[in-house]
Amino acid sequence: MARRCAQGVSPEEETQRLAEASKAVATGLKERAALATGDAQAVLKATALMASDRGLIKSATKLVAGGTCAESAIWEAADAVATQLTALGGYMAERAGDVLDVRARIVAELRGVPAPGIPDSDQPFILAAVDLAPADTATLDPAKVLALVTSDGGPQSHTAIIARSLGLPAIVAAPDTTELADGDYVFVDGIDGLVITDPSAAEEHLAATYANREVLPDFTGTGELSDGYRVPLLSNVGSGEDAQLAAGLPAPRAWDCCAPSSASWARKRNRPTKSRFPHTALFLRPSAARKWWFAPWMPAPISRRHS
């Protein structure tokens, strides 16, 4: 139920509070973006734009004009937008969580309390949550956060995108994540999409091997296989500015890159398709060979062992 404005507070004053809170959140996100790079920076900039979205603020302002307080107004307006995005499905549905994150930040600003964020820890840990706000995921420290597991989200959610860019093992859409408790000892398998509590010695060995793996070099912008064969990179462009960037520098983003099918590669190189190219499409980064890169995007089970 919508909360009404406090007695003696005019709709104009509430509208001003809402505008100032929205601006403060957008400014804070832009400041974070200025300190970030790559995918994280792009996500933070997009979230900052959402915080000051005219349509969202206009809808909330209409509710304020009807006597609803600023907190309830932005809550209801954002909920309506998120519901519409969810109904669209696919990529748009995964943006609903971003809208709800912006809503939470604006409400926190209105109330003068800290915005929800990532827990702090002196020790490295695996982060489990229903979902993660893009603004928080973008500033994760891979030295502290070893892996991500969420009950919601999908392959195009900002959690998944940023996890890939940071090199973090991540499993999304694992509905049993909410059954995990703070302090649980778990093993995250990005290939098979498993979260295993009370891991065995063999699984502990696998985790240690992964932690001590040789770090692959950063992507140089050149599509090239290990034997030196050059593979053309294709870029997804939506404007003239994007086309200019794609034609020169910097290198395309990971999810904008695609490759010919394995069959076409085999025909060009006169090699067997099945043995040489088992995948029909790969994201063309050296890190594509890393174990975590191929994390499945199906609901992931959580296996519990009992002594």
Side-chain angles (χ1 to χ4, degrees):
M1 183 176 179
R3 187 160 62 90
R4 310 296 290 180
C5 292
Q7 188 173 2
V9 178
S10 68
E12 289 74 18
E13 291 174 311
E14 285 294 276
T15 298
Q16 183 62 28
R17 287 181 62 228
L18 178 61
E20 291 175 354
S22 170
K23 183 178 180 180
V25 169
T27 299
L29 292 170
K30 289 177 182 177
E31 291 174 352
R32 285 196 186 190
L35 299 175
T37 58
D39 296 336
Q41 185 179 69
V43 168
L44 288 168
K45 286 182 177 180
T47 309
L49 290 174
M50 194 175 294
S52 55
D53 181 72
R54 292 183 179 180
L56 176 62
I57 302 304
K58 183 177 180 180
S59 296
T61 300
K62 287 182 178 179
L63 293 172
V64 169
T68 303
C69 71
E71 291 90 340
S72 289
I74 192 64
W75 192 271
E76 292 185 16
D79 187 65
V81 173
T83 299
Q84 292 175 354
L85 292 174
T86 301
L88 293 173
Y91 174 84
M92 298 305 295
E94 292 176 11
R95 300 285 74 79
D98 303 344
V99 175
L100 298 181
D101 169 54
V102 165
R103 175 182 72 176
R105 293 178 183 278
I106 293 177
V107 170
E109 182 69 27
L110 287 166
R111 292 182 174 179
V113 299
I118 303 299
D120 192 21
S121 174
D122 294 331
Q123 299 295 325
F125 62 96
I126 292 173
L127 181 59
V130 173
D131 203 356
L132 296 174
D136 292 327
T137 313
T139 54
L140 288 177
D141 181 2
K144 283 288 186 70
V145 181
L146 304 179
L148 302 176
V149 182
T150 65
S151 61
D152 293 352
Q156 295 176 348
S157 66
H158 283 150
T159 298
I161 292 170
I162 296 176
R164 287 195 290 265
S165 71
L166 293 176
L168 288 175
I171 295 178
V172 300
D176 292 338
T177 300
T178 52
E179 296 181 7
L180 295 175
D182 188 26
D184 277 355
Y185 190 51
V186 300
F187 171 77
V188 176
D189 184 340
I191 283 201
D192 294 328
L194 294 175
V195 181
I196 301 174
T197 59
D198 300 322
S200 66
E203 288 154 350
E204 289 182 344
H205 176 71
L206 287 173
T209 300
Y210 173 77
N212 296 318
R213 71 196 183 282
E214 180 182 355
V215 178
L216 295 172
D218 292 334
F219 183 48
T220 63
T222 300
E224 188 175 84
L225 300 182
S226 60
D227 62 1
Y229 178 73
R230 300 293 288 270
V231 180
L233 299 184
L234 307 180
S235 183
N236 178 21
V237 299
S239 67
E241 181 180 356
D242 289 345
Q244 288 180 330
L245 289 174
L249 297 173
R253 299 169 298 178
W255 63 89
D256 285 339
C257 299
C258 60
S261 69
S262 60
S264 66
W265 284 1
R267 285 196 300 271
K268 289 181 180 179
R269 309 186 70 190
N270 297 317
R271 295 184 177 183
T273 302
K274 184 176 180 180
S275 60
R276 176 60 175 160
F277 302 107
H279 301 284
T280 57
L282 298 175
F283 289 119
L284 294 181
R285 294 182 65 167
S287 52
R290 293 179 182 175
K291 182 176 181 180
W292 54 265
W293 191 269
F294 298 105
W297 304 113
M298 297 296 290
I302 291 180
S303 173
R304 292 185 176 273
R305 291 198 176 95
H306 302 281
S307 57

